Amino acid sequence: MGLVFFINIVSVALAFFAKDRRFKFCFLVAFVILTIFYGIRYDFGNDYWGYYESFKESKILDFSQAKEPGWHLLLHFCQPIGYFGFVFLMTAVGNSLVYKLIKRNVDRQWWWLAMYVFLFTFNFFLLGLSMMRQYLAMLICMTAVDKFLSPKKIIQYIFLICIASTIHISSLIMLLCVILMCFRPNARSYLIIFSLIALVVIMTISTNNLSEVVDMALQLAILENYSGYYGWEPGTKSTIKISFDLLLLLCIMRTYPEDRKMQIFYWILLISFILLPFSYAMVIILRLMLYFSIFSVVCYPALFKEYKKRWFYLPLLVLYIFYTFYLTLASYTGETYGNYYMIYKSIFAAPCWL
Protein backbone atom coordinates (compact mmCIF):
# COMPACT_ATOMS: atom_id res chain seq x y z
CA MET A 1 0.00 0.00 0.00
CA GLY A 2 2.76 2.41 0.92
CA LEU A 3 4.41 2.11 -2.49
CA VAL A 4 1.17 2.91 -4.33
CA PHE A 5 0.52 6.05 -2.28
CA PHE A 6 4.17 7.08 -2.59
CA ILE A 7 4.04 6.89 -6.41
CA ASN A 8 0.81 8.88 -6.44
CA ILE A 9 2.22 11.57 -4.13
CA VAL A 10 5.38 11.82 -6.24
CA SER A 11 3.20 12.30 -9.34
CA VAL A 12 1.27 15.10 -7.66
CA ALA A 13 4.57 16.71 -6.58
CA LEU A 14 5.87 16.57 -10.16
CA ALA A 15 2.67 18.24 -11.37
CA PHE A 16 3.22 20.92 -8.73
CA PHE A 17 6.76 21.61 -9.99
CA ALA A 18 5.30 21.96 -13.49
CA LYS A 19 3.84 25.31 -12.34
CA ASP A 20 7.22 26.73 -13.33
CA ARG A 21 7.57 26.90 -17.12
CA ARG A 22 11.14 25.63 -16.81
CA PHE A 23 9.82 22.40 -15.32
CA LYS A 24 6.55 21.97 -17.20
CA PHE A 25 7.95 18.70 -18.61
CA CYS A 26 7.50 17.28 -15.09
CA PHE A 27 3.79 16.92 -15.77
CA LEU A 28 4.48 14.53 -18.64
CA VAL A 29 7.07 12.73 -16.53
CA ALA A 30 4.44 12.17 -13.85
CA PHE A 31 2.13 10.42 -16.31
CA VAL A 32 4.99 8.35 -17.72
CA ILE A 33 5.83 7.15 -14.20
CA LEU A 34 2.16 6.32 -13.53
CA THR A 35 1.88 4.46 -16.81
CA ILE A 36 4.97 2.34 -16.24
CA PHE A 37 4.28 1.60 -12.56
CA TYR A 38 0.63 0.69 -12.97
CA GLY A 39 0.98 -0.69 -16.49
CA ILE A 40 3.11 -3.57 -15.22
CA ARG A 41 0.80 -4.36 -12.28
CA TYR A 42 -0.03 -7.99 -11.56
CA ASP A 43 -3.00 -9.39 -9.61
CA PHE A 44 -3.96 -5.87 -8.56
CA GLY A 45 -7.65 -4.96 -8.27
CA ASN A 46 -10.71 -7.12 -7.73
CA ASP A 47 -11.48 -7.62 -11.44
CA TYR A 48 -7.95 -8.48 -12.60
CA TRP A 49 -8.56 -12.19 -13.08
CA GLY A 50 -12.09 -11.70 -14.40
CA TYR A 51 -10.66 -9.68 -17.26
CA TYR A 52 -8.01 -12.33 -17.77
CA GLU A 53 -10.73 -14.94 -18.32
CA SER A 54 -12.50 -12.61 -20.75
CA PHE A 55 -9.21 -12.05 -22.55
CA LYS A 56 -8.69 -15.80 -23.01
CA GLU A 57 -12.26 -16.29 -24.23
CA SER A 58 -11.77 -13.58 -26.85
CA LYS A 59 -9.18 -15.58 -28.77
CA ILE A 60 -12.09 -16.74 -30.91
CA LEU A 61 -14.06 -13.88 -32.43
CA ASP A 62 -17.63 -14.84 -31.48
CA PHE A 63 -20.12 -12.01 -31.13
CA SER A 64 -23.04 -14.28 -30.26
CA GLN A 65 -22.11 -14.22 -26.56
CA ALA A 66 -20.65 -10.70 -26.47
CA LYS A 67 -22.91 -8.12 -24.79
CA GLU A 68 -20.55 -5.29 -25.73
CA PRO A 69 -19.01 -6.21 -29.11
CA GLY A 70 -16.52 -3.33 -29.09
CA TRP A 71 -14.84 -4.66 -25.95
CA HIS A 72 -14.82 -8.21 -27.33
CA LEU A 73 -13.23 -6.94 -30.55
CA LEU A 74 -10.60 -4.99 -28.62
CA LEU A 75 -9.67 -8.05 -26.55
CA HIS A 76 -9.43 -10.14 -29.71
CA PHE A 77 -7.09 -7.74 -31.52
CA CYS A 78 -4.86 -7.49 -28.43
CA GLN A 79 -4.22 -11.25 -28.34
CA PRO A 80 -0.76 -10.93 -29.97
CA ILE A 81 0.54 -8.75 -27.10
CA GLY A 82 -0.81 -11.03 -24.38
CA TYR A 83 -2.75 -10.10 -21.27
CA PHE A 84 0.15 -8.21 -19.70
CA GLY A 85 0.52 -6.18 -22.88
CA PHE A 86 -3.22 -5.51 -22.92
CA VAL A 87 -3.20 -4.21 -19.32
CA PHE A 88 -0.25 -1.94 -20.12
CA LEU A 89 -1.99 -0.65 -23.26
CA MET A 90 -5.19 0.16 -21.35
CA THR A 91 -3.19 2.00 -18.70
CA ALA A 92 -1.27 4.01 -21.30
CA VAL A 93 -4.39 4.94 -23.29
CA GLY A 94 -6.30 5.99 -20.17
CA ASN A 95 -3.46 8.11 -18.82
CA SER A 96 -2.89 9.80 -22.17
CA LEU A 97 -6.56 10.81 -22.40
CA VAL A 98 -6.53 12.30 -18.89
CA TYR A 99 -3.20 14.03 -19.56
CA LYS A 100 -4.62 15.74 -22.64
CA LEU A 101 -7.85 16.70 -20.87
CA ILE A 102 -5.98 18.42 -18.03
CA LYS A 103 -3.53 20.18 -20.35
CA ARG A 104 -6.37 21.56 -22.49
CA ASN A 105 -8.69 22.69 -19.72
CA VAL A 106 -6.76 23.34 -16.50
CA ASP A 107 -4.48 26.29 -15.81
CA ARG A 108 -0.88 25.09 -15.42
CA GLN A 109 -0.73 26.55 -11.91
CA TRP A 110 -3.43 24.06 -10.92
CA TRP A 111 -2.25 20.93 -12.71
CA TRP A 112 -1.17 19.54 -9.35
CA LEU A 113 -4.72 19.73 -7.97
CA ALA A 114 -6.18 18.13 -11.09
CA MET A 115 -3.64 15.33 -10.65
CA TYR A 116 -4.56 15.02 -6.98
CA VAL A 117 -8.28 14.77 -7.75
CA PHE A 118 -7.54 12.15 -10.42
CA LEU A 119 -5.26 10.01 -8.26
CA PHE A 120 -6.76 10.43 -4.81
CA THR A 121 -10.44 10.11 -5.60
CA PHE A 122 -10.61 6.35 -5.26
CA ASN A 123 -13.44 5.91 -7.76
CA PHE A 124 -11.40 7.46 -10.58
CA PHE A 125 -7.87 6.19 -11.23
CA LEU A 126 -7.48 3.50 -8.57
CA LEU A 127 -10.87 1.91 -9.20
CA GLY A 128 -10.31 2.36 -12.92
CA LEU A 129 -7.30 0.04 -12.66
CA SER A 130 -9.76 -2.68 -11.75
CA MET A 131 -12.90 -1.85 -13.77
CA MET A 132 -10.96 -1.38 -17.00
CA ARG A 133 -13.96 -1.76 -19.30
CA GLN A 134 -16.15 0.94 -17.77
CA TYR A 135 -13.13 3.15 -17.10
CA LEU A 136 -12.20 3.12 -20.80
CA ALA A 137 -15.82 3.94 -21.71
CA MET A 138 -15.80 6.80 -19.18
CA LEU A 139 -12.65 8.30 -20.63
CA ILE A 140 -13.95 8.03 -24.19
CA CYS A 141 -17.11 9.88 -23.10
CA MET A 142 -14.99 12.46 -21.28
CA THR A 143 -12.97 13.06 -24.45
CA ALA A 144 -16.16 13.26 -26.51
CA VAL A 145 -17.51 16.02 -24.24
CA ASP A 146 -14.20 17.86 -24.31
CA LYS A 147 -13.73 17.86 -28.09
CA PHE A 148 -17.12 17.39 -29.73
CA LEU A 149 -20.03 18.52 -27.54
CA SER A 150 -20.97 21.56 -29.62
CA PRO A 151 -23.65 22.26 -32.26
CA LYS A 152 -21.16 21.94 -35.13
CA LYS A 153 -19.73 18.63 -33.95
CA ILE A 154 -22.80 16.95 -32.45
CA ILE A 155 -22.69 14.05 -34.95
CA GLN A 156 -19.09 13.26 -33.93
CA TYR A 157 -20.12 13.43 -30.27
CA ILE A 158 -23.03 11.00 -30.67
CA PHE A 159 -20.84 8.69 -32.76
CA LEU A 160 -18.14 8.57 -30.10
CA ILE A 161 -20.70 7.90 -27.34
CA CYS A 162 -22.08 5.04 -29.42
CA ILE A 163 -18.54 3.67 -29.78
CA ALA A 164 -18.14 3.85 -25.99
CA SER A 165 -21.45 2.00 -25.55
CA THR A 166 -20.04 -0.99 -27.44
CA ILE A 167 -17.45 -1.18 -24.65
CA HIS A 168 -19.83 -0.51 -21.75
CA ILE A 169 -23.54 -0.01 -22.47
CA SER A 170 -23.94 2.33 -19.48
CA SER A 171 -22.09 5.07 -21.37
CA LEU A 172 -25.27 5.80 -23.33
CA ILE A 173 -26.31 7.91 -20.33
CA MET A 174 -23.92 10.56 -21.63
CA LEU A 175 -26.31 11.25 -24.51
CA LEU A 176 -28.21 13.31 -21.92
CA CYS A 177 -25.40 15.84 -22.12
CA VAL A 178 -26.71 16.94 -25.52
CA ILE A 179 -29.36 18.85 -23.55
CA LEU A 180 -26.62 20.82 -21.81
CA MET A 181 -25.37 22.00 -25.17
CA CYS A 182 -28.57 24.04 -25.61
CA PHE A 183 -29.95 24.49 -22.11
CA ARG A 184 -27.64 25.53 -19.27
CA PRO A 185 -29.38 27.73 -16.69
CA ASN A 186 -27.12 30.09 -14.79
CA ALA A 187 -25.99 28.10 -11.77
CA ARG A 188 -25.18 31.34 -9.92
CA SER A 189 -28.88 32.19 -9.78
CA TYR A 190 -30.10 32.07 -6.19
CA LEU A 191 -33.20 30.24 -7.39
CA ILE A 192 -31.09 27.51 -9.03
CA ILE A 193 -28.77 27.29 -6.01
CA PHE A 194 -31.64 26.97 -3.53
CA SER A 195 -33.59 24.54 -5.74
CA LEU A 196 -30.66 22.22 -6.42
CA ILE A 197 -29.46 22.11 -2.82
CA ALA A 198 -33.02 21.58 -1.57
CA LEU A 199 -33.50 18.77 -4.08
CA VAL A 200 -30.32 16.98 -3.01
CA VAL A 201 -31.13 17.42 0.69
CA ILE A 202 -34.71 16.16 0.31
CA MET A 203 -33.64 13.13 -1.72
CA THR A 204 -30.86 12.36 0.75
CA ILE A 205 -33.28 12.50 3.67
CA SER A 206 -35.67 10.29 1.69
CA THR A 207 -33.12 7.55 1.08
CA ASN A 208 -35.37 4.94 2.69
CA ASN A 209 -38.18 5.81 0.30
CA LEU A 210 -35.77 5.74 -2.62
CA SER A 211 -34.62 2.32 -1.45
CA GLU A 212 -38.19 1.04 -1.55
CA VAL A 213 -38.65 2.36 -5.09
CA VAL A 214 -35.39 0.74 -6.18
CA ASP A 215 -36.36 -2.51 -4.47
CA MET A 216 -39.64 -2.57 -6.40
CA ALA A 217 -37.81 -1.81 -9.65
CA LEU A 218 -35.43 -4.69 -9.06
CA GLN A 219 -38.37 -7.08 -9.04
CA LEU A 220 -38.74 -6.48 -12.76
CA ALA A 221 -37.24 -9.24 -14.87
CA ILE A 222 -35.29 -6.76 -17.00
CA LEU A 223 -33.40 -5.53 -13.92
CA GLU A 224 -32.93 -8.78 -12.03
CA ASN A 225 -29.28 -8.99 -13.11
CA TYR A 226 -28.60 -5.86 -11.04
CA SER A 227 -30.13 -7.12 -7.79
CA GLY A 228 -26.64 -7.67 -6.41
CA TYR A 229 -26.03 -3.92 -6.57
CA TYR A 230 -28.79 -3.10 -4.12
CA GLY A 231 -27.81 -1.21 -0.97
CA TRP A 232 -24.73 0.94 -0.35
CA GLU A 233 -21.19 0.39 0.76
CA PRO A 234 -20.28 1.13 4.40
CA GLY A 235 -18.99 4.68 4.87
CA THR A 236 -20.46 6.12 1.68
CA LYS A 237 -23.32 7.71 3.57
CA SER A 238 -22.45 9.76 6.64
CA THR A 239 -23.44 13.15 8.02
CA ILE A 240 -19.90 14.49 7.54
CA LYS A 241 -19.67 13.34 3.93
CA ILE A 242 -23.12 14.65 3.04
CA SER A 243 -22.33 18.02 4.63
CA PHE A 244 -19.01 18.25 2.80
CA ASP A 245 -20.63 17.32 -0.52
CA LEU A 246 -23.27 20.02 -0.04
CA LEU A 247 -20.56 22.58 0.71
CA LEU A 248 -18.74 21.65 -2.51
CA LEU A 249 -22.02 21.81 -4.41
CA LEU A 250 -22.61 25.35 -3.16
CA CYS A 251 -19.06 26.44 -4.03
CA ILE A 252 -19.32 24.96 -7.54
CA MET A 253 -22.45 26.97 -8.25
CA ARG A 254 -20.98 30.14 -6.76
CA THR A 255 -17.98 29.90 -9.11
CA TYR A 256 -20.03 29.13 -12.24
CA PRO A 257 -17.84 30.25 -15.18
CA GLU A 258 -18.55 32.44 -18.19
CA ASP A 259 -16.81 30.10 -20.64
CA ARG A 260 -19.33 27.94 -22.55
CA LYS A 261 -17.22 24.81 -22.47
CA MET A 262 -16.53 25.08 -18.74
CA GLN A 263 -20.23 25.66 -18.14
CA ILE A 264 -20.92 22.27 -19.71
CA PHE A 265 -18.23 20.67 -17.52
CA TYR A 266 -19.78 22.27 -14.44
CA TRP A 267 -23.30 21.13 -15.22
CA ILE A 268 -22.14 17.58 -15.93
CA LEU A 269 -20.52 17.58 -12.50
CA LEU A 270 -23.69 19.04 -10.96
CA ILE A 271 -25.66 16.11 -12.36
CA SER A 272 -23.48 13.79 -10.29
CA PHE A 273 -24.67 15.58 -7.13
CA ILE A 274 -28.29 15.04 -8.18
CA LEU A 275 -27.60 11.32 -8.64
CA LEU A 276 -25.73 11.05 -5.35
CA PRO A 277 -28.76 10.33 -3.12
CA PHE A 278 -29.79 7.48 -5.44
CA SER A 279 -26.34 5.94 -5.03
CA TYR A 280 -27.13 5.46 -1.34
CA ALA A 281 -30.00 3.18 -2.36
CA MET A 282 -28.27 1.31 -5.17
CA VAL A 283 -24.55 0.91 -5.68
CA ILE A 284 -24.93 0.67 -9.47
CA ILE A 285 -26.05 4.32 -9.52
CA LEU A 286 -22.61 5.16 -8.13
CA ARG A 287 -21.11 3.56 -11.23
CA LEU A 288 -23.34 5.71 -13.43
CA MET A 289 -22.36 8.78 -11.42
CA LEU A 290 -18.73 8.26 -12.37
CA TYR A 291 -19.43 9.38 -15.95
CA PHE A 292 -20.38 12.77 -14.49
CA SER A 293 -18.27 13.06 -11.36
CA ILE A 294 -14.97 12.44 -13.17
CA PHE A 295 -15.28 15.99 -14.54
CA SER A 296 -14.29 17.16 -11.06
CA VAL A 297 -10.73 16.62 -12.34
CA VAL A 298 -11.30 19.80 -14.38
CA CYS A 299 -13.94 21.61 -12.31
CA TYR A 300 -12.35 21.54 -8.84
CA PRO A 301 -9.13 23.26 -9.97
CA ALA A 302 -11.30 25.89 -11.68
CA LEU A 303 -13.35 26.27 -8.50
CA PHE A 304 -10.34 26.98 -6.29
CA LYS A 305 -8.74 29.16 -8.94
CA GLU A 306 -11.77 31.42 -9.32
CA TYR A 307 -12.84 31.66 -5.68
CA LYS A 308 -11.76 35.15 -4.61
CA LYS A 309 -12.12 34.91 -0.83
CA ARG A 310 -8.77 33.44 0.18
CA TRP A 311 -9.77 33.24 3.84
CA PHE A 312 -12.45 30.76 2.77
CA TYR A 313 -11.03 28.79 -0.15
CA LEU A 314 -7.59 28.07 1.37
CA PRO A 315 -9.03 26.26 4.43
CA LEU A 316 -11.55 24.57 2.11
CA LEU A 317 -8.73 23.41 -0.16
CA VAL A 318 -6.80 21.96 2.79
CA LEU A 319 -9.97 20.30 4.07
CA TYR A 320 -10.71 18.86 0.62
CA ILE A 321 -7.20 17.41 0.28
CA PHE A 322 -7.18 15.74 3.69
CA TYR A 323 -10.77 14.52 3.58
CA THR A 324 -10.38 13.09 0.06
CA PHE A 325 -7.20 11.34 1.16
CA TYR A 326 -9.05 9.89 4.15
CA LEU A 327 -11.92 8.59 1.99
CA THR A 328 -9.50 7.04 -0.50
CA LEU A 329 -7.51 5.38 2.26
CA ALA A 330 -10.76 4.02 3.74
CA SER A 331 -11.83 2.59 0.38
CA TYR A 332 -8.35 1.26 -0.39
CA THR A 333 -8.18 -0.66 2.89
CA GLY A 334 -11.90 -1.41 3.34
CA GLU A 335 -13.78 -4.67 3.13
CA THR A 336 -14.79 -4.30 -0.50
CA TYR A 337 -11.39 -3.59 -2.07
CA GLY A 338 -8.78 -4.06 0.65
CA ASN A 339 -7.90 -7.67 -0.12
CA TYR A 340 -7.33 -6.83 -3.80
CA TYR A 341 -5.36 -3.59 -3.46
CA MET A 342 -3.28 -3.84 -0.30
CA ILE A 343 -0.25 -5.50 -1.90
CA TYR A 344 1.18 -4.17 -5.14
CA LYS A 345 2.82 -6.76 -7.36
CA SER A 346 4.43 -6.33 -10.76
CA ILE A 347 4.44 -8.75 -13.69
CA PHE A 348 8.01 -9.68 -12.75
CA ALA A 349 6.58 -11.39 -9.67
CA ALA A 350 4.17 -13.48 -11.77
CA PRO A 351 4.79 -17.24 -11.79
CA CYS A 352 4.18 -17.37 -15.54
CA TRP A 353 3.84 -15.01 -18.50
CA LEU A 354 0.24 -14.27 -19.39
Side-chain angles (χ1 to χ4, degrees):
M1 180 185 77
L3 182 59
V4 167
F5 278 75
F6 173 75
I7 291 294
N8 287 5
I9 291 172
V10 167
S11 300
V12 173
L14 287 170
F16 181 83
F17 290 135
K19 292 170 60 176
D20 190 321
R21 287 185 178 276
R22 296 172 299 174
F23 303 109
K24 63 180 180 180
F25 67 90
C26 288
F27 191 56
L28 176 60
V29 171
F31 274 94
V32 170
I33 292 173
L34 289 171
T35 299
I36 294 174
F37 179 75
Y38 289 105
I40 61 172
R41 67 187 183 276
Y42 170 74
D43 192 15
F44 189 74
N46 54 317
D47 290 333
Y48 187 88
W49 293 112
Y51 282 116
Y52 174 63
E53 293 300 323
S54 299
F55 187 81
K56 289 197 303 180
E57 294 170 359
S58 297
K59 288 182 179 180
I60 300 175
L61 198 59
D62 180 12
F63 291 109
S64 62
Q65 301 297 323
K67 296 181 179 179
E68 282 94 0
W71 180 252
H72 182 64
L73 195 64
L74 177 61
L75 293 177
H76 179 75
F77 283 129
C78 287
Q79 292 297 318
I81 62 177
Y83 185 61
F84 287 162
F86 168 74
V87 171
F88 190 93
L89 177 64
M90 290 298 98
T91 306
V93 169
N95 284 349
S96 65
L97 292 177
V98 175
Y99 169 77
K100 291 178 180 178
L101 176 82
I102 294 174
K103 283 204 69 175
R104 281 195 296 262
N105 299 286
V106 178
D107 188 285
R108 192 177 72 254
Q109 302 296 315
W110 291 94
W111 282 352
W112 68 273
L113 182 58
M115 180 72 88
Y116 183 87
V117 175
F118 174 55
L119 295 179
F120 284 98
T121 302
F122 182 82
N123 289 333
F124 298 162
F125 180 68
L126 289 172
L127 185 58
L129 295 174
S130 181
M131 58 170 200
M132 289 186 285
R133 186 162 62 93
Q134 183 181 346
Y135 184 60
L136 178 60
M138 285 166 50
L139 296 185
I140 292 174
C141 292
M142 180 188 71
T143 302
V145 171
D146 180 31
K147 301 191 71 173
F148 301 118
L149 188 54
S150 64
K152 294 182 179 180
K153 299 180 180 179
I154 191 61
I155 300 300
Q156 294 97 312
Y157 176 77
I158 295 175
F159 176 75
L160 206 53
I161 298 301
C162 290
I163 292 295
S165 71
T166 67
I167 295 173
H168 205 285
I169 191 68
S170 62
S171 58
L172 287 175
I173 196 172
M174 292 301 287
L175 290 176
L176 295 174
C177 294
V178 174
I179 299 174
L180 300 177
M181 185 179 65
C182 305
F183 178 68
R184 298 185 305 279
N186 185 0
R188 288 188 184 226
S189 164
Y190 287 109
L191 177 61
I192 297 295
I193 291 175
F194 175 79
S195 300
L196 196 54
I197 291 180
L199 176 64
V200 173
V201 169
I202 291 172
M203 290 196 302
T204 301
I205 294 173
S206 306
T207 296
N208 291 336
N209 294 330
L210 292 176
S211 298
E212 293 177 3
V213 173
V214 170
D215 190 29
M216 293 174 59
L218 290 175
Q219 305 305 315
L220 301 175
I222 192 173
L223 295 176
E224 62 181 3
N225 291 334
Y226 299 101
S227 59
Y229 291 95
Y230 182 70
W232 56 81
E233 297 177 34
T236 57
K237 182 182 180 182
S238 67
T239 303
I240 295 177
K241 185 178 185 304
I242 292 170
S243 301
F244 188 70
D245 288 338
L246 289 174
L247 177 60
L248 286 177
L249 174 59
L250 175 62
C251 291
I252 289 169
M253 290 188 286
R254 292 297 296 159
T255 57
Y256 188 66
E258 297 294 333
D259 181 72
R260 184 202 68 84
K261 186 176 180 182
M262 284 301 298
Q263 287 178 355
I264 292 176
F265 288 162
Y266 266 55
W267 268 106
I268 292 176
L269 180 59
L270 288 173
I271 291 174
S272 71
F273 285 90
I274 298 174
L275 292 175
L276 185 61
F278 291 96
S279 71
Y280 298 140
M282 192 175 183
V283 173
I284 196 172
I285 301 298
L286 180 63
R287 293 297 183 96
L288 292 177
M289 273 178 53
L290 297 181
Y291 287 98
F292 304 97
S293 61
I294 196 170
F295 284 88
S296 60
V297 171
V298 173
C299 294
Y300 284 166
L303 184 161
F304 289 108
K305 173 189 173 184
E306 297 299 329
Y307 219 96
K308 304 303 182 183
K309 298 179 181 178
R310 295 177 63 87
W311 62 267
F312 178 79
Y313 95 79
L314 285 177
L316 179 63
L317 177 58
V318 173
L319 178 62
Y320 173 81
I321 289 173
F322 280 98
Y323 190 59
T324 304
F325 186 88
Y326 165 77
L327 292 177
T328 293
L329 185 62
S331 296
Y332 194 91
T333 59
E335 294 181 6
T336 304
Y337 302 107
N339 292 333
Y340 305 98
Y341 279 91
M342 284 296 292
I343 301 176
Y344 171 85
K345 291 179 285 188
S346 75
I347 59 177
F348 303 109
C352 60
W353 200 257
L354 302 180

